[in-house]
C-alpha cells in the first residue's frame, strides 16, 4: 500500500514584505512618475512591458505604489500612480559589521543574501588582517548598491538597506552604541552561547563578523571591552560570507521564536 504525505508550508508573515503578482521597481521619489536608467531599461527591454501595463514601485522607505504605464520614451517610462500603501517597519533592527572576504563574488553573494533575509545596515570595515588591495576591490559602493536594490526588489521588500564602507574598525564602536552587540568569535578555551539564544526581542542588534584569518588579539580585546559579547554560530568553522548570512538569520530567529512570542 502506498502512502502519500503532503506537507503544508508554514508562512511567517513579515509586515515589511509584500508579495504581489506585479513586477517591483525602485524609484526614490515615486511622485516623479517616471522610471529612468537601469529601471526603465529593465521594464521595457527585459520585462517587455507596454503602455497600459501595471507594476509596483517602492521608494525604499516603506512606500509601495501600484502604477500604470502611460507613456514610453526612449530612455524613460512615464507612469500614473493608482494606489499607494505604507508598509510598517519591523519592530527590530539588524546592523551587520563585516570585514569582507577577499573574493568579490563571495562578498557580493553575501550582500545579496543578507538583503533577501532582511537587514537594515551593512557596514564593511578594514581589519588588521584585511588585505588593503582586495578591500578596495570588493567594496565598490556603486556596485554594492546595485546589488542591494536588485535583491530588495527580487524579495519584494519596501525598505532599502544601507551599505557603508569604513577604512578601519574604529567607526564600528560608535555606530553600535545603544544596541545589543555580539562578536562571532569562539576559542577552544571558551564555549560561547549561540547567537540566536541571546537576541533581545524588538531591539537593535549589531553583529561583528571577522575577516579570513580572524580578528587580531587586540581587535577582540577592544571589541569585548566595548561591550561586544562573544557568540557562537554553530559547531563548524564558517567562511566570512557564510557566518554573516547565518548571523543575520539568527537575529530573525531570536526575534520570531523567542519564549514570549
Amino acid at each position: 500500500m502506498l502512502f502519500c504525505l503532503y506537507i503544508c508550508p508554514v508562512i511567517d508573515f513579515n509586515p515589511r514584505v509584500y508579495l504581489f503578482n506585479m513586477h517591483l521597481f525602485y524609484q526614490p521619489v515615486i511622485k516623479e512618475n517616471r522610471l529612468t536608467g537601469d529601471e526603465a531599461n529593465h521594464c521595457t527591454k527585459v520585462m517587455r512591458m507596454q503602455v497600459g501595463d501595471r507594476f509596483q514601485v517602492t521608494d525604499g522607505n516603506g512606500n509601495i505604489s501600484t502604477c500604470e504605464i502611460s507613456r514610453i520614451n526612449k530612455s524613460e517610462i512615464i507612469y500614473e500612480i493608482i494606489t499607494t500603501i505604507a508598509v510598517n517597519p519591523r519592530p527590530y533592527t539588524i546592523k551587520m559589521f563585516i570585514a569582507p572576504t577577499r573574493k568579490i563574488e563571495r562578498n557580493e553573494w553575501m550582500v545579496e543574501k543578507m538583503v533577501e533575509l532582511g537587514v537594515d545596515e551593512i557596514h564593511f570595515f578594514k581589519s588588521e588582517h584585511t588585505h588593503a588591495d582586495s578591500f578596495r576591490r570588493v567594496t565598490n559602493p556603486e556596485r554594492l548598491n546595485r546589488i542591494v536594490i536588485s535583491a530588495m526588489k527580487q524579495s519584494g521588500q519596501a525598505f532599502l538597506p544601507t551599505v557603508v564602507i569604513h577604512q578601519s574598525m574604529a567607526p564600528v564602536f560608535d555606530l553600535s552604541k545603544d544596541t545589543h552587540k555580539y562578536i562571532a568569535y569562539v576559542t577552544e578555551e571558551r564555549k560561547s552561547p549561540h547567537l540566536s539564544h541571546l537576541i533581545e526581542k524588538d531591539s537593535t542588534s549589531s553583529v561583528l563578523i571577522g575577516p579570513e584569518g580572524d580578528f587580531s588579539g587586540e581587535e577582540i580585546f577592544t571589541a569585548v571591552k566595548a561591550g561586544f559579547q562573544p557568540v557562537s554560530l554553530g559547531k563548524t568553522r564558517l567562511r566570512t560570507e557564510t557566518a554573516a548570512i547565518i548571523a543575520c538569520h539568527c537575529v530573525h530567529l531570536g526575534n520570531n521564536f523567542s519564549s514570549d512570542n
Side-chain angles (χ1 to χ4, degrees), residues 7-59:
I7 300 176
C8 179
V10 178
I11 300 176
D12 181 25
F13 177 72
N14 184 343
R16 290 166 55 102
V17 179
Y18 281 74
L19 300 178
F20 300 98
N21 292 325
M22 287 178 278
H23 299 293
L24 181 63
F25 295 91
Y26 173 61
Q27 163 55 277
V29 185
I30 296 177
K31 291 184 179 180
E32 283 191 359
N33 292 76
R34 70 185 67 229
L35 297 178
T36 59
D38 291 340
E39 297 298 283
N41 183 68
H42 185 74
C43 181
T44 56
K45 301 295 176 60
V46 179
M47 307 311 303
R48 303 290 183 182
M49 302 189 78
Q50 301 176 355
V51 172
D53 288 344
R54 292 189 176 186
F55 55 75
Q56 289 178 317
V57 177
T58 180
D59 59 2

Side-chain angles (χ1 to χ4, degrees), residues 17-227:
V17 179
Y18 281 74
L19 300 178
F20 300 98
N21 292 325
M22 287 178 278
H23 299 293
L24 181 63
F25 295 91
Y26 173 61
Q27 163 55 277
V29 185
I30 296 177
K31 291 184 179 180
E32 283 191 359
N33 292 76
R34 70 185 67 229
L35 297 178
T36 59
D38 291 340
E39 297 298 283
N41 183 68
H42 185 74
C43 181
T44 56
K45 301 295 176 60
V46 179
M47 307 311 303
R48 303 290 183 182
M49 302 189 78
Q50 301 176 355
V51 172
D53 288 344
R54 292 189 176 186
F55 55 75
Q56 289 178 317
V57 177
T58 180
D59 59 2
N61 288 313
N63 298 301
I64 294 183
S65 295
T66 299
C67 306
E68 182 175 300
I69 299 175
S70 58
R71 190 167 72 253
I72 299 177
N73 297 332
K74 185 176 180 180
S75 60
E76 65 179 7
I77 305 296
I78 308 300
Y79 58 79
E80 297 296 328
I81 299 174
I82 308 301
T83 59
T84 299
I85 61 171
V87 181
N88 293 325
R90 85 166 88 80
Y92 58 94
T93 302
I94 303 175
K95 295 184 178 183
M96 298 297 302
F97 295 91
I98 308 161
T101 175
R102 295 179 63 173
K103 294 189 176 181
I104 189 169
E105 64 273 10
R106 289 180 177 174
N107 207 53
E108 293 177 351
W109 177 79
M110 168 176 59
V111 169
E112 179 183 73
K113 299 312 170 189
M114 284 193 294
V115 174
E116 289 179 12
L117 286 171
V119 67
D120 298 280
E121 299 177 16
I122 301 173
H123 297 262
F124 287 116
F125 65 91
K126 188 188 298 181
S127 71
E128 288 186 32
H129 294 163
T130 300
H131 191 273
D133 290 338
S134 66
F135 183 81
R136 288 191 293 269
R137 179 171 50 83
V138 303
T139 55
N140 183 312
E142 183 178 346
R143 183 173 175 84
L144 290 175
N145 280 322
R146 286 202 300 268
I147 292 171
V148 168
I149 291 171
S150 177
M152 174 193 69
K153 295 188 300 178
Q154 186 277 331
S155 54
Q157 300 186 62
F159 291 87
L160 184 69
T162 58
V163 178
V164 187
I165 313 299
H166 307 289
Q167 296 302 314
S168 71
M169 194 174 174
V172 172
F173 305 117
D174 288 329
L175 293 168
S176 61
K177 285 182 178 178
D178 302 320
T179 74
H180 295 280
K181 300 184 283 288
Y182 312 96
I183 178 172
Y185 174 70
V186 180
T187 67
E188 294 181 358
E189 296 79 17
R190 173 179 177 177
K191 290 185 178 181
S192 298
H194 198 278
L195 173 60
S196 61
H197 297 161
L198 298 176
I199 298 301
E200 294 288 338
K201 187 181 177 184
D202 296 346
S203 63
T204 298
S205 297
S206 294
V207 185
L208 188 55
I209 304 294
E212 297 161 326
D214 217 335
F215 296 105
S216 69
E218 184 177 349
E219 287 172 333
I220 295 169
F221 176 81
T222 304
V224 172
K225 187 177 179 180

